[in-house]
Amino acid sequence: MKSVSKTASDSRAQAMSAVSGAFAKLAFREQAKNPVMLMVYVSAILTTVLFILSLFGVADSKPGYICAIAVVLWLTVLFANFAESLAEGRGKAQADSLRAAKKDVVALKLNDCLAARGSHEADPAAFYEREAIEVSSSELGCEDVVFVRAGDQIPADGEVIVGAASVDESAITGESAPVIRESGGDRSSVTGGTTVLSDWLVLRVTQERGKSFLDQMISMVEAASRKRTPNEIALQLLLVALTIVFLLVTMSLFTFSDFGAQLADMDNPTTITSLVALFVCLAPTTIGALLSAIGIAGMSRLNRANVLAMSGRAVEAAGDVDILMLDKTGTITLGNRQACEFVPVDGVAEEELADAAQLASLTDETPEGRSIVVLAKERFGIRGRDLEGAGMESIPFTAQTRMSGVNFDGHEIRKGAADAVRSYVESYGGTYSDECRCVVEEISRAGGTPLLVARDHAILGVVYLKDVVKQGIKENFASLRKMGIKTIMITGDNPMTAAAIAAEAGVDDFLAEATPESKLDAIRQYQAEGHMVAMTGDGTNDAPALAQADVAVAMNSGTQAAKEAGNMVDLDSNPTKLIDIVRIGKQLLMTRGSLTTFSIANDLAKYFAIIPALFVGLYPQLEVLNIMHLASPESAILSAIVYNALIIVVLIPLALKGVKYREVSSSKLLAHNLLVYGLGGIILPFIAIKAIDVILVAFGLA
């Protein structure tokens, strides 16, 4: 309940801040950033001047009518400012929470020679602590070397060069589970603002002051730093072009009206105030007012997903992606092989095989070993035994023997790779039967890993280990396929294993025995065919392919080379996030397209409201177009312009939240868009304008 009330309080605070921000944006410099709304702003100023003149008897309409038009135009500008300020407020709230994690701390600075020398000391941590110099983290620059102990906050983004430690990254990612960071490999990158929980690290700073990932994240979520994307710029240019066209149309209508009045030998009934109202209603003010808010909200959704986009172009490219390349391990599969079946051979009972396999795995702390213990317990109720009191001797796994096991109660039990166990058994005079060979080959063809179990130099059977495909991943790929996105699994496995896992996971294609060169070549080939390619990676060997991909998501836990090559960084280091990024990108494009369709469709009702009202005095035949039977020309014009202002407010929640994401093909999406936002955009204004007209007449306002 407390969290709900806090959320409501935060929302109210953001709304109040947005109201003040809406008035602050009335400055001409702010309005000039949006050409469409600038014309509304100028129109509001013009009608205000006309109202003031009307008070002195210089007017083309009644003062009350001009005042009403001026007020509505100012409200239209304020509503547009409010939408943008509200979207910016959300970004600033995120930035404030990130700034809380960014503070100057004391850093223990080393020089390179001390870092290298300390790694050879008997107690490296004590040596580093003794030799380090205390400096402020704000003084650290790129390539500086620092020592971080348990309990210390990591002072800057860096690469671990000595040591391994458990790190709490919840301040950045929101994930409470600690992660291991160590020198070498693909888990060597650390982020400033995170905290070391255990052990110690020596790291080299990889970012200049003010350019850390946290600094970039803050600047990205603050709307003031958001750059418009190419698609948004193109749409803005289209809206400006339409605005110019409608400005010329309005001027032409005034000339046409004046000509008609001269022919009829009467005063021109079309006033400047009415023409201004016509222009504002016909110009694409709805989408013009919401365009910036849509873009800011889209970036905000990406940032809430803990993804740092290095460029706005990448966000839009995510919406256009039609090829998705994903690593197998950790993305499609759980990342660890699991025991799924005991296959006995040569007349051995399955329970006997399970018992021996469990005994050989009780001291095996690998995920594979633990899964064998669990499977034996689930299948036959076999539980762990007190091996220490039974004189058990553990035989650890080595790269040379490729086996492990136990000597227990007078028996030698071993488990390991098929060829290793075969050599071990045959060296003692045992046999490797045809039945065993067939089982091993069958499991290998299915994409699994056969693990042989032997007792007293006789093979009992095979443990079937397999990469476990993540739950729900197949449904995810099916949804992407409906959207026209092809999924490709990248793996270092042999083609046979890769094919089996690809079939189980439901991916469209796979790249087996992948190398940095083959990944890069595959991306280039797809791009040459006109596809937009997205890829995720975390290692130095992924950097060339990430640099080539249109949407390249690097893991924050990965190497600096991968992060520099990508155009997005996933702060959670979750490879499946790529699927969510594509959905966010598509939702951004869907929202922009839907509201643009709605905005343009709105104009039809305004034609029927304003055109007859303007020219019915000159051409009575136009009364037939007054299908809404609006009370008077003034009421028709005022109703249309009030609707034009209010619809912006009504659409603000949709612009900020985004159009509901639908995983369908482009053709179905277009049909749905035209039906809901096209047809809806035509029908709604007729109903709303008529309702406003009735209210205005009822209260004597028109």
Side-chain angles (χ1 to χ4, degrees), residues 307-358:
V307 177
L308 172 60
M310 313 303 285
S311 74
R313 186 183 294 272
V315 184
E316 283 203 344
D320 291 325
V321 161
D322 57 355
I323 296 287
L324 207 56
M325 300 183 73
L326 307 102
D327 280 330
K328 180 203 75 174
T329 306
T331 305
I332 294 172
T333 66
L334 293 175
N336 299 309
R337 295 171 301 171
Q338 304 285 310
C340 66
E341 188 179 357
F342 297 113
V343 185
V345 297
D346 303 328
V348 174
E350 185 180 351
E351 186 172 355
E352 183 182 357
L353 168 61
D355 181 65
Q358 189 191 66

Short mmCIF file of all heavy atoms in Angstrom, two decimals, residues 307-358:
data_model
loop_
_atom_site.label_atom_id
_atom_site.label_comp_id
_atom_site.label_asym_id
_atom_site.label_seq_id
_atom_site.Cartn_x
_atom_site.Cartn_y
_atom_site.Cartn_z
N VAL A 307 18.61 -0.44 -20.52
CA VAL A 307 19.40 -0.48 -21.76
C VAL A 307 19.85 0.94 -22.08
O VAL A 307 19.03 1.85 -22.14
CB VAL A 307 18.60 -1.05 -22.93
CG1 VAL A 307 19.43 -1.02 -24.21
CG2 VAL A 307 18.17 -2.49 -22.62
N LEU A 308 21.14 1.12 -22.25
CA LEU A 308 21.70 2.42 -22.61
C LEU A 308 21.91 2.46 -24.12
O LEU A 308 22.73 1.72 -24.66
CB LEU A 308 23.03 2.64 -21.89
CG LEU A 308 23.84 3.87 -22.29
CD1 LEU A 308 23.04 5.13 -22.03
CD2 LEU A 308 25.16 3.91 -21.56
N ALA A 309 21.11 3.31 -24.80
CA ALA A 309 21.25 3.45 -26.25
C ALA A 309 22.28 4.52 -26.53
O ALA A 309 22.16 5.65 -26.06
CB ALA A 309 19.91 3.81 -26.87
N MET A 310 23.30 4.17 -27.30
CA MET A 310 24.36 5.13 -27.61
C MET A 310 23.97 6.07 -28.72
O MET A 310 24.64 7.07 -28.96
CB MET A 310 25.64 4.38 -28.00
CG MET A 310 26.00 3.23 -27.06
SD MET A 310 26.18 3.75 -25.35
CE MET A 310 27.75 4.57 -25.43
N SER A 311 22.87 5.78 -29.43
CA SER A 311 22.39 6.68 -30.49
C SER A 311 20.90 6.45 -30.69
O SER A 311 20.40 5.34 -30.50
CB SER A 311 23.13 6.42 -31.80
OG SER A 311 22.69 5.22 -32.40
N GLY A 312 20.19 7.55 -31.05
CA GLY A 312 18.77 7.44 -31.32
C GLY A 312 18.51 6.58 -32.55
O GLY A 312 17.48 5.92 -32.65
N ARG A 313 19.45 6.58 -33.50
CA ARG A 313 19.29 5.78 -34.71
C ARG A 313 19.13 4.29 -34.36
O ARG A 313 18.37 3.57 -35.00
CB ARG A 313 20.49 5.98 -35.62
CG ARG A 313 20.37 5.31 -36.98
CD ARG A 313 21.63 5.52 -37.78
NE ARG A 313 21.83 6.91 -38.13
CZ ARG A 313 21.33 7.49 -39.21
NH1 ARG A 313 20.61 6.78 -40.06
NH2 ARG A 313 21.55 8.76 -39.46
N ALA A 314 19.85 3.84 -33.32
CA ALA A 314 19.78 2.43 -32.93
C ALA A 314 18.39 2.06 -32.43
O ALA A 314 17.90 0.96 -32.68
CB ALA A 314 20.82 2.14 -31.85
N VAL A 315 17.74 2.99 -31.73
CA VAL A 315 16.40 2.72 -31.20
C VAL A 315 15.42 2.50 -32.34
O VAL A 315 14.61 1.57 -32.32
CB VAL A 315 15.92 3.88 -30.30
CG1 VAL A 315 14.57 3.55 -29.68
CG2 VAL A 315 16.94 4.17 -29.21
N GLU A 316 15.49 3.38 -33.34
CA GLU A 316 14.60 3.22 -34.48
C GLU A 316 14.94 2.00 -35.31
O GLU A 316 14.06 1.31 -35.81
CB GLU A 316 14.65 4.47 -35.35
CG GLU A 316 13.87 5.60 -34.74
CD GLU A 316 13.45 6.60 -35.77
OE1 GLU A 316 13.98 6.59 -36.87
OE2 GLU A 316 12.56 7.39 -35.44
N ALA A 317 16.24 1.73 -35.44
CA ALA A 317 16.65 0.55 -36.20
C ALA A 317 16.08 -0.71 -35.55
O ALA A 317 15.72 -1.67 -36.24
CB ALA A 317 18.17 0.47 -36.28
N ALA A 318 15.98 -0.70 -34.21
CA ALA A 318 15.41 -1.86 -33.50
C ALA A 318 13.98 -2.12 -33.95
O ALA A 318 13.53 -3.27 -34.01
CB ALA A 318 15.46 -1.63 -31.99
N GLY A 319 13.25 -1.05 -34.28
CA GLY A 319 11.88 -1.23 -34.75
C GLY A 319 11.79 -1.78 -36.15
O GLY A 319 10.75 -2.29 -36.55
N ASP A 320 12.88 -1.66 -36.93
CA ASP A 320 12.88 -2.13 -38.32
C ASP A 320 13.63 -3.44 -38.51
O ASP A 320 13.76 -3.92 -39.64
CB ASP A 320 13.51 -1.07 -39.23
CG ASP A 320 12.64 0.17 -39.35
OD1 ASP A 320 11.41 0.01 -39.35
OD2 ASP A 320 13.18 1.28 -39.43
N VAL A 321 14.13 -4.02 -37.43
CA VAL A 321 14.93 -5.25 -37.52
C VAL A 321 14.10 -6.40 -38.08
O VAL A 321 12.94 -6.59 -37.71
CB VAL A 321 15.47 -5.62 -36.11
CG1 VAL A 321 15.88 -7.09 -36.05
CG2 VAL A 321 16.65 -4.73 -35.75
N ASP A 322 14.69 -7.16 -39.02
CA ASP A 322 14.01 -8.36 -39.51
C ASP A 322 14.91 -9.60 -39.45
O ASP A 322 14.49 -10.69 -39.82
CB ASP A 322 13.49 -8.16 -40.94
CG ASP A 322 14.59 -7.78 -41.92
OD1 ASP A 322 15.74 -7.58 -41.48
OD2 ASP A 322 14.30 -7.69 -43.12
N ILE A 323 16.15 -9.42 -38.96
CA ILE A 323 17.05 -10.55 -38.70
C ILE A 323 17.57 -10.41 -37.28
O ILE A 323 18.12 -9.38 -36.91
CB ILE A 323 18.25 -10.59 -39.68
CG1 ILE A 323 17.77 -10.79 -41.11
CG2 ILE A 323 19.23 -11.69 -39.27
CD1 ILE A 323 17.29 -12.18 -41.43
N LEU A 324 17.39 -11.46 -36.48
CA LEU A 324 17.81 -11.44 -35.08
C LEU A 324 18.82 -12.57 -34.87
O LEU A 324 18.49 -13.74 -35.01
CB LEU A 324 16.59 -11.65 -34.19
CG LEU A 324 16.60 -11.09 -32.78
CD1 LEU A 324 16.87 -9.60 -32.78
CD2 LEU A 324 15.28 -11.38 -32.09
N MET A 325 20.08 -12.20 -34.54
CA MET A 325 21.13 -13.20 -34.32
C MET A 325 21.41 -13.28 -32.82
O MET A 325 21.76 -12.27 -32.19
CB MET A 325 22.39 -12.82 -35.09
CG MET A 325 22.17 -12.73 -36.59
SD MET A 325 23.66 -12.35 -37.54
CE MET A 325 24.54 -13.92 -37.44
N LEU A 326 21.23 -14.48 -32.24
CA LEU A 326 21.37 -14.65 -30.80
C LEU A 326 22.34 -15.79 -30.48
O LEU A 326 22.33 -16.83 -31.15
CB LEU A 326 20.02 -14.96 -30.16
CG LEU A 326 18.87 -14.02 -30.44
CD1 LEU A 326 17.94 -14.64 -31.48
CD2 LEU A 326 18.09 -13.71 -29.18
N ASP A 327 23.15 -15.59 -29.45
CA ASP A 327 24.00 -16.66 -28.95
C ASP A 327 23.14 -17.79 -28.41
O ASP A 327 22.06 -17.54 -27.85
CB ASP A 327 24.91 -16.16 -27.83
CG ASP A 327 26.12 -15.43 -28.38
OD1 ASP A 327 26.56 -15.76 -29.49
OD2 ASP A 327 26.62 -14.51 -27.71
N LYS A 328 23.63 -19.01 -28.55
CA LYS A 328 22.89 -20.15 -28.00
C LYS A 328 22.99 -20.18 -26.49
O LYS A 328 22.00 -20.15 -25.77
CB LYS A 328 23.45 -21.46 -28.57
CG LYS A 328 22.72 -22.71 -28.05
CD LYS A 328 23.58 -23.95 -28.15
CE LYS A 328 24.66 -23.96 -27.08
NZ LYS A 328 25.43 -25.21 -27.02
N THR A 329 24.22 -20.20 -25.97
CA THR A 329 24.45 -20.41 -24.55
C THR A 329 24.04 -19.18 -23.75
O THR A 329 24.52 -18.07 -23.99
CB THR A 329 25.93 -20.72 -24.27
OG1 THR A 329 26.33 -21.81 -25.09
CG2 THR A 329 26.16 -21.05 -22.82
N GLY A 330 23.14 -19.39 -22.79
CA GLY A 330 22.70 -18.31 -21.93
C GLY A 330 21.56 -17.49 -22.51
O GLY A 330 20.93 -16.72 -21.80
N THR A 331 21.30 -17.64 -23.80
CA THR A 331 20.22 -16.90 -24.44
C THR A 331 19.08 -17.84 -24.81
O THR A 331 17.95 -17.68 -24.37
CB THR A 331 20.73 -16.19 -25.71
OG1 THR A 331 21.83 -15.37 -25.37
CG2 THR A 331 19.63 -15.33 -26.32
N ILE A 332 19.41 -18.84 -25.61
CA ILE A 332 18.41 -19.82 -26.02
C ILE A 332 18.37 -20.99 -25.03
O ILE A 332 17.31 -21.50 -24.70
CB ILE A 332 18.72 -20.31 -27.45
CG1 ILE A 332 18.54 -19.14 -28.43
CG2 ILE A 332 17.83 -21.48 -27.84
CD1 ILE A 332 19.00 -19.44 -29.83
N THR A 333 19.55 -21.39 -24.56
CA THR A 333 19.62 -22.46 -23.56
C THR A 333 20.00 -21.86 -22.21
O THR A 333 20.44 -20.71 -22.12
CB THR A 333 20.65 -23.53 -23.96
OG1 THR A 333 21.97 -22.93 -23.93
CG2 THR A 333 20.37 -24.06 -25.34
N LEU A 334 19.85 -22.66 -21.16
CA LEU A 334 20.17 -22.19 -19.81
C LEU A 334 21.66 -21.94 -19.63
O LEU A 334 22.07 -21.25 -18.71
CB LEU A 334 19.69 -23.20 -18.76
CG LEU A 334 18.17 -23.35 -18.64
CD1 LEU A 334 17.83 -24.47 -17.67
CD2 LEU A 334 17.52 -22.05 -18.21
N GLY A 335 22.47 -22.51 -20.48
CA GLY A 335 23.91 -22.28 -20.40
C GLY A 335 24.66 -23.42 -19.75
O GLY A 335 25.88 -23.50 -19.83
N ASN A 336 23.96 -24.32 -19.10
CA ASN A 336 24.59 -25.48 -18.47
C ASN A 336 23.88 -26.75 -18.92
O ASN A 336 22.65 -26.80 -18.96
CB ASN A 336 24.51 -25.38 -16.94
CG ASN A 336 25.23 -24.17 -16.40
OD1 ASN A 336 26.37 -23.93 -16.74
ND2 ASN A 336 24.54 -23.39 -15.58
N ARG A 337 24.66 -27.78 -19.25
CA ARG A 337 24.06 -29.05 -19.64
C ARG A 337 23.43 -29.73 -18.42
O ARG A 337 23.98 -29.67 -17.32
CB ARG A 337 25.12 -29.96 -20.26
CG ARG A 337 25.68 -29.45 -21.57
CD ARG A 337 26.87 -30.28 -22.03
NE ARG A 337 27.93 -30.27 -21.03
CZ ARG A 337 29.01 -31.03 -21.07
NH1 ARG A 337 29.17 -31.88 -22.06
NH2 ARG A 337 29.93 -30.95 -20.13
N GLN A 338 22.30 -30.36 -18.62
CA GLN A 338 21.57 -31.01 -17.54
C GLN A 338 21.36 -32.48 -17.87
O GLN A 338 21.10 -32.84 -19.03
CB GLN A 338 20.21 -30.34 -17.35
CG GLN A 338 20.27 -28.84 -17.08
CD GLN A 338 20.71 -28.52 -15.68
OE1 GLN A 338 20.18 -29.06 -14.70
NE2 GLN A 338 21.71 -27.65 -15.56
N ALA A 339 21.46 -33.33 -16.84
CA ALA A 339 21.18 -34.76 -17.04
C ALA A 339 19.68 -34.94 -17.22
O ALA A 339 18.88 -34.45 -16.42
CB ALA A 339 21.66 -35.55 -15.83
N CYS A 340 19.29 -35.65 -18.27
CA CYS A 340 17.85 -35.85 -18.53
C CYS A 340 17.46 -37.32 -18.60
O CYS A 340 16.28 -37.64 -18.58
CB CYS A 340 17.45 -35.13 -19.80
SG CYS A 340 18.19 -35.80 -21.30
N GLU A 341 18.46 -38.23 -18.71
CA GLU A 341 18.10 -39.65 -18.85
C GLU A 341 19.30 -40.54 -18.51
O GLU A 341 20.45 -40.18 -18.78
CB GLU A 341 17.66 -39.92 -20.29
CG GLU A 341 17.09 -41.31 -20.52
CD GLU A 341 16.63 -41.51 -21.96
OE1 GLU A 341 16.70 -40.55 -22.75
OE2 GLU A 341 16.23 -42.64 -22.29
N PHE A 342 19.01 -41.69 -17.87
CA PHE A 342 20.02 -42.74 -17.66
C PHE A 342 19.74 -43.85 -18.68
O PHE A 342 18.63 -44.38 -18.74
CB PHE A 342 19.93 -43.32 -16.25
CG PHE A 342 20.23 -42.32 -15.15
CD1 PHE A 342 19.23 -41.91 -14.27
CD2 PHE A 342 21.50 -41.79 -15.01
CE1 PHE A 342 19.51 -41.01 -13.26
CE2 PHE A 342 21.79 -40.88 -14.00
CZ PHE A 342 20.79 -40.49 -13.12
N VAL A 343 20.75 -44.19 -19.49
CA VAL A 343 20.57 -45.22 -20.52
C VAL A 343 21.52 -46.38 -20.22
O VAL A 343 22.72 -46.35 -20.54
CB VAL A 343 20.86 -44.66 -21.92
CG1 VAL A 343 20.55 -45.72 -22.98
CG2 VAL A 343 20.08 -43.38 -22.19
N PRO A 344 21.03 -47.46 -19.56
CA PRO A 344 21.90 -48.60 -19.23
C PRO A 344 22.22 -49.43 -20.48
O PRO A 344 21.47 -49.42 -21.45
CB PRO A 344 21.06 -49.40 -18.24
CG PRO A 344 19.64 -49.06 -18.57
CD PRO A 344 19.65 -47.65 -19.08
N VAL A 345 23.33 -50.17 -20.46
CA VAL A 345 23.72 -51.04 -21.57
C VAL A 345 24.14 -52.40 -21.02
O VAL A 345 24.44 -52.55 -19.84
CB VAL A 345 24.88 -50.42 -22.39
CG1 VAL A 345 24.44 -49.11 -23.04
CG2 VAL A 345 26.12 -50.21 -21.54
N ASP A 346 24.14 -53.36 -21.93
CA ASP A 346 24.64 -54.71 -21.64
C ASP A 346 23.95 -55.35 -20.44
O ASP A 346 24.59 -55.99 -19.58
CB ASP A 346 26.16 -54.68 -21.40
CG ASP A 346 26.91 -54.11 -22.60
OD1 ASP A 346 26.44 -54.28 -23.73
OD2 ASP A 346 27.94 -53.44 -22.38
N GLY A 347 22.61 -55.16 -20.32
CA GLY A 347 21.83 -55.85 -19.30
C GLY A 347 21.87 -55.22 -17.92
O GLY A 347 21.30 -55.77 -16.97
N VAL A 348 22.51 -54.08 -17.76
CA VAL A 348 22.57 -53.42 -16.45
C VAL A 348 21.22 -52.76 -16.16
O VAL A 348 20.58 -52.20 -17.05
CB VAL A 348 23.70 -52.36 -16.43
CG1 VAL A 348 23.69 -51.56 -15.13
CG2 VAL A 348 25.05 -53.02 -16.65
N ALA A 349 20.76 -52.81 -14.89
CA ALA A 349 19.51 -52.17 -14.51
C ALA A 349 19.70 -50.65 -14.47
O ALA A 349 20.77 -50.15 -14.09
CB ALA A 349 19.05 -52.67 -13.15
N GLU A 350 18.64 -49.91 -14.84
CA GLU A 350 18.74 -48.44 -14.86
C GLU A 350 19.03 -47.88 -13.48
O GLU A 350 19.80 -46.94 -13.32
CB GLU A 350 17.44 -47.85 -15.41
CG GLU A 350 17.50 -46.33 -15.58
CD GLU A 350 16.20 -45.74 -16.13
OE1 GLU A 350 15.32 -46.52 -16.55
OE2 GLU A 350 16.08 -44.49 -16.11
N GLU A 351 18.41 -48.48 -12.43
CA GLU A 351 18.63 -47.99 -11.06
C GLU A 351 20.08 -48.19 -10.63
O GLU A 351 20.66 -47.36 -9.94
CB GLU A 351 17.69 -48.69 -10.09
CG GLU A 351 17.77 -48.12 -8.68
CD GLU A 351 16.71 -48.68 -7.75
OE1 GLU A 351 15.84 -49.44 -8.23
OE2 GLU A 351 16.75 -48.35 -6.55
N GLU A 352 20.69 -49.30 -11.07
CA GLU A 352 22.10 -49.57 -10.75
C GLU A 352 23.00 -48.51 -11.39
O GLU A 352 23.94 -48.01 -10.77
CB GLU A 352 22.48 -50.96 -11.25
CG GLU A 352 23.91 -51.37 -10.91
CD GLU A 352 24.25 -52.75 -11.46
OE1 GLU A 352 23.35 -53.40 -12.05
OE2 GLU A 352 25.43 -53.16 -11.32
N LEU A 353 22.68 -48.14 -12.66
CA LEU A 353 23.43 -47.09 -13.34
C LEU A 353 23.25 -45.75 -12.63
O LEU A 353 24.22 -45.01 -12.42
CB LEU A 353 22.95 -46.99 -14.80
CG LEU A 353 23.43 -45.76 -15.59
CD1 LEU A 353 24.95 -45.74 -15.71
CD2 LEU A 353 22.78 -45.73 -16.98
N ALA A 354 21.99 -45.43 -12.23
CA ALA A 354 21.71 -44.16 -11.56
C ALA A 354 22.45 -44.07 -10.24
O ALA A 354 22.98 -43.01 -9.88
CB ALA A 354 20.21 -44.01 -11.36
N ASP A 355 22.50 -45.18 -9.50
CA ASP A 355 23.19 -45.19 -8.20
C ASP A 355 24.68 -44.92 -8.37
O ASP A 355 25.28 -44.11 -7.65
CB ASP A 355 22.97 -46.54 -7.52
CG ASP A 355 23.63 -46.60 -6.15
OD1 ASP A 355 23.20 -45.84 -5.26
OD2 ASP A 355 24.59 -47.38 -5.99
N ALA A 356 25.30 -45.58 -9.36
CA ALA A 356 26.73 -45.39 -9.60
C ALA A 356 27.02 -43.96 -10.10
O ALA A 356 28.00 -43.32 -9.68
CB ALA A 356 27.22 -46.41 -10.62
N ALA A 357 26.15 -43.45 -10.98
CA ALA A 357 26.35 -42.10 -11.51
C ALA A 357 26.22 -41.06 -10.39
O ALA A 357 26.99 -40.09 -10.34
CB ALA A 357 25.33 -41.81 -12.61
N GLN A 358 25.28 -41.29 -9.47
CA GLN A 358 25.13 -40.34 -8.36
C GLN A 358 26.33 -40.37 -7.43
O GLN A 358 26.82 -39.33 -6.99
CB GLN A 358 23.84 -40.62 -7.58
CG GLN A 358 23.53 -39.53 -6.55
CD GLN A 358 22.43 -39.92 -5.60
OE1 GLN A 358 22.60 -40.84 -4.80
NE2 GLN A 358 21.30 -39.22 -5.67
#
